[in-house]
Amino acid sequence: MYRSYGYLRPGADLPDFDLAPEFGRVPPYSGGLSEQERERAGRLLRDTIVISLHDHPVRFPADMRQTPEYNRTGRQHTAFAGLLASGMTVVFDNMMDGTACVTGNAPWRWLDIITDLGMRQADIAHQSDVIVIRTMDDIEHAHRSGKVGLLFGLEAATPIENEIDRLDVLYGLGLRQIGIAYSDANALGSGLNETTDGGLTDFGRRAVARMNQLGLAVDISHSSDRTGLDVCAVSERPVFMTHAGARAVWNTPRMKPDDVLRAVAETGGVIGMSAAPHTTLSEAHPRHTILSVMDHFRYCLDLVGIDHVAFGPDTLYGDHVGLHTVFGHLLKVGAAAPAGPSFPKVEYVDGLENPTENFANIAGWLVREGFSDSEIAAVLGGNILRALQRIWA
């Protein structure tokens, strides 16, 4: 099995870090499935086009405190073995540019983005099990051939600054999905942590129009409420909320209110359930596990219907809780601290800890809860495919 950047000499051509494992970092999740349920879930995972709306399928240092130094190399190590064992067909891979301070001390620098896109694709070009997704045909090819496709995206359009043509450049370099703003506001609109929600700017409206023209999928996961509503109002294509949850289930700024969730669905878009640690909690399951996440899934399903829900677990290979500690100043974790009831801290989200295990456990839960094969196929990837056919047309 090819190891990321295997064409280079560790310690000579690039620093040699002790990276988190792709398997067995935490105990496996016990879903309590019968043998028949397990077989059915496995069959659905094999036969269905399975798409994660948001994950980071890369390995981090085993000691998360080394991550700033690791990021300085400009090389995120793709977890090739873990991806092949995941059952996923496509991963919306948003890289890690909210923390990837390669050439400076702040995220979202244009040169860092270009470096990240180029380095990742140079690495992928040296093996054949994982491919880059740019078209619907690429997705079909990945499914038929048993490969895993990475669909590159950004969580914020901050790097384009006020140069709208940079969207074309990013598209030309392989990007196929982009967020409007992260926690901080930018030239396009407000992020979710701004004190004043200014919504989408005039430049942001022009940018959304260009995204529609190019075929760049638009994401509002980290945008403010007003910005999200404005994007849905002006976009002529379906809008994604790749990784979030429902504020009615857990009242924090990171979760989305009903009007924003409905607005996404009304565009023909899809809402992906996140599982980043200590985000998608619920009063029924305040200890963050797959059960907490599924409380958000149930709520969104009831609110907008089965055609507009999916999963964007937002996981990685390594200590995700530790990442939030190391990069809290950039991720604004504290600013989005839950306003709801107190909750116990966890070391990891049981059942949705990394990209390898996520969809086997999601499929198992859906089977055990009595969803039909067609419903499961829709939320595992069919809904996303339908939206992409309109976005990429």
Side-chain angles (χ1 to χ4, degrees):
M1 170 62 67
Y2 175 79
R3 179 185 170 92
S4 204
Y5 300 104
Y7 61 92
L8 298 175
R9 297 168 299 168
D13 297 323
L14 77 169
D16 191 13
F17 289 91
D18 180 20
L19 299 179
E22 295 168 72
F23 305 92
R25 194 185 81 86
V26 301
Y29 175 69
S30 176
L33 300 179
S34 68
E35 187 61 33
Q36 184 178 15
E37 289 170 333
R38 189 175 296 107
E39 289 177 0
R40 181 177 166 224
R43 172 179 57 79
L44 287 164
L45 208 59
R46 288 190 304 272
D47 296 347
T48 301
I49 291 180
V50 177
I51 304 176
S52 167
L53 259 183
H54 188 95
D55 266 310
H56 301 283
V58 291
R59 301 173 68 188
F60 279 77
D63 182 351
M64 194 59 79
R65 292 171 296 181
Q66 293 183 327
T67 301
E69 180 186 357
Y70 171 70
N71 285 348
R72 289 285 186 188
T73 69
R75 290 185 169 92
Q76 294 273 329
H77 290 239
T78 302
F80 290 105
L83 281 172
L84 286 179
S86 70
M88 292 186 291
T89 312
V90 175
V91 185
F92 278 60
D93 181 346
N94 274 239
M95 304 183 287
M96 286 299 293
D97 293 296
T99 60
C101 304
V102 180
T103 61
N105 295 313
W108 307 117
R109 297 161 71 94
W110 175 252
L111 182 57
D112 290 1
I113 304 303
I114 303 307
T115 299
D116 202 352
L117 269 172
M119 287 290 195
R120 293 289 304 286
Q121 293 185 74
D123 188 27
I124 291 166
H126 284 82
Q127 51 78 62
S128 58
D129 294 317
V130 173
I131 63 174
V132 177
I133 300 295
R134 294 185 175 89
T135 66
M136 299 301 296
D137 286 344
D138 291 338
I139 296 176
E140 292 291 342
H141 169 64
H143 184 55
R144 288 194 308 269
S145 60
K147 300 180 187 297
V148 180
L150 299 186
L151 190 159
F152 285 113
L154 284 177
E155 296 195 57
T158 304
I160 75 169
E161 298 175 320
N162 63 345
E163 299 186 43
I164 201 166
D165 287 346
R166 283 186 174 181
L167 290 169
D168 302 59
V169 174
L170 290 170
Y171 185 88
L173 294 175
L175 205 77
R176 289 296 181 270
Q177 172 254 309
I178 193 164
I180 297 297
Y182 199 70
S183 297
D184 295 329
N186 58 25
L188 288 78
S190 295
L192 60 87
N193 282 331
E194 292 296 328
T195 303
T196 301
D197 187 349
L200 198 64
T201 64
D202 287 344
F203 176 76
R205 293 170 191 272
R206 296 197 299 276
V208 171
R210 180 65 63 86
M211 294 169 190
N212 288 171
Q213 290 169 319
L214 281 166
L216 266 176
V218 185
D219 174 34
I220 61 168
S221 297
H222 282 278
S223 299
S224 68
D225 296 347
R226 182 73 256 166
T227 300
L229 289 170
D230 289 347
V231 169
C232 291
V234 302
S235 178
E236 296 181 353
R237 307 282 184 179
V239 172
F240 284 137
M241 186 181 293
T242 63
H243 59 301
R247 197 171 296 168
V249 177
W250 195 253
N251 186 21
T252 70
R254 182 64 186 83
M255 303 294 98
K256 301 298 182 181
D258 288 1
D259 58 346
V260 178
L261 298 171
R262 289 194 189 98
V264 170
E266 288 167 2
T267 69
V270 181
I271 302 158
M273 305 303 130
S274 177
H278 307 128
T279 58
T280 43
L281 305 174
S282 70
E283 290 191 17
H285 299 99
R287 181 177 180 82
H288 205 186
T289 72
I290 187 175
L291 300 180
S292 318
V293 177
M294 291 310 185
D295 289 337
H296 287 264
F297 171 74
R298 286 262 192 209
Y299 182 87
C300 291
L301 186 155
D302 291 341
L303 183 72
V304 301
I306 192 79
D307 293 335
H308 301 288
V309 289
F311 295 91
D314 191 11
T315 63
L316 47 83
Y317 292 92
D319 179 6
H320 202 159
V321 175
L323 178 76
H324 285 177
T325 301
V326 172
F327 288 102
H329 63 297
L330 297 179
L331 300 172
K332 305 291 175 61
V333 175
S342 60
F343 63 95
K345 295 292 181 70
V346 296
E347 294 183 3
Y348 62 93
V349 179
D350 196 15
L352 296 172
E353 198 274 333
N354 64 61
T356 299
E357 75 164 20
N358 289 341
F359 280 87
N361 292 335
I362 289 169
W365 185 91
L366 292 166
V367 164
R368 190 174 186 192
E369 292 298 309
F371 287 85
S372 69
D373 283 8
S374 62
E375 289 172 329
I376 294 173
V379 301
L380 289 185
N383 293 337
I384 302 166
L385 278 176
R386 184 191 64 251
L388 285 177
Q389 285 168 344
R390 289 184 55 194
I391 296 167
W392 288 355

